[in-house]
């Protein structure tokens, strides 16, 4: 019985030694994440990083690399949002100058204020990402 138990224990140790590490298992997904980022598909990059975190929680080095990509992809998305919001804000500000109908003017003012708040919030997001990147 003791010999049988030792054989089982040795077999279990051998199998665990031969199995892939979390890092090795995470490499294909990390390569996909890098490819998505390089192709400018930032939303898919973020989604794939979430998958990496869920499926390979022990792959510390892969997660560190993914964190840098997460920050970079988030920054790119936030910067695009700032640019888009800025264009809309400028357009609304110009349209307000010529609107004479009081109701439409009031509605446009509300929209402009909303765009201004979004612009300021997204600029804050960009600043925070820059700070986080400096910390790492």
């Amino acid at each position: 019985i003791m010999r049988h138990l030792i054989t089982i224990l040795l077999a279990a140790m051998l199998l665990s030694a031969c199995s892939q590490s979390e890092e090795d298992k995470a490499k294909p997904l990390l390569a996909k994440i890098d490819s998505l980022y390089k192709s400018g598909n930032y939303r898919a990059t973020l989604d794939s990083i979430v998958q990496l975190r869920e499926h390979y929680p022990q792959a510390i080095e892969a997660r560190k690399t993914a964190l840098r990509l997460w920050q970079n992809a988030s920054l790119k998305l936030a910067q695009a949002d700032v640019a888009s919001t800025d264009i809309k804000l400028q357009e609304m500000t110009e349209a307000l100058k010529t609107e004479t109908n009081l109701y439409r003017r009031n509605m446009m003012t509300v929209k402009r204020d909303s765009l201004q708040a979004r612009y300021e919030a997204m600029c804050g997001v960009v600043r925070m990402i820059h700070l986080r990147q400096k910390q790492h």
Side-chain angles (χ1 to χ4, degrees):
I1 293 175
M2 188 65 149
R3 185 179 295 168
H4 188 57
L5 190 56
I6 291 173
T7 304
I8 291 173
L9 185 59
L10 286 173
M13 288 172 47
L14 183 62
L15 283 174
S16 67
C18 293
S19 66
Q20 282 188 309
S21 71
E22 286 271 306
E23 294 294 338
D24 290 335
K25 291 177 185 176
K27 281 181 183 177
L29 183 52
L30 191 57
K32 174 186 170 192
I33 291 166
D34 188 55
S35 176
L36 287 167
Y37 177 77
K38 286 178 179 174
S39 69
N41 197 341
Y42 304 123
R43 178 64 48 208
T45 299
L46 297 178
D47 293 343
S48 295
I49 292 171
V50 169
Q51 286 181 336
L52 178 90
R53 290 174 177 167
E54 289 173 356
H55 291 100
Y56 307 107
Q58 302 301 316
I60 304 302
E61 292 306 313
R63 290 177 57 135
K64 284 180 184 178
T65 300
L67 175 61
R68 286 188 292 278
L69 291 168
W70 178 276
Q71 290 173 335
N72 292 338
S74 296
L75 179 62
K76 296 287 187 184
L77 286 172
Q79 288 171 329
D81 196 317
V82 167
S84 171
T85 303
D86 185 46
I87 290 168
K88 292 174 186 172
L89 182 59
Q90 297 304 320
E91 289 171 350
M92 187 59 63
T93 301
E94 287 303 311
L96 262 169
K97 291 178 182 177
T98 59
E99 183 56 60
T100 57
N101 180 288
L102 186 57
Y103 175 76
R104 283 195 300 265
R105 185 171 174 75
N106 286 341
M107 296 309 290
M108 291 169 74
T109 300
V110 169
K111 176 117 175 142
R112 183 207 54 207
D113 293 348
S114 174
L115 287 167
Q116 182 68 42
R118 180 175 184 84
Y119 177 81
E120 291 170 8
M122 293 311 297
C123 286
V125 168
V126 169
R127 282 192 297 274
M128 286 302 298
I129 293 170
H130 281 299
L131 285 173
R132 294 286 176 138
Q133 287 176 323
K134 287 180 185 177
Q135 292 174 351
H136 294 100

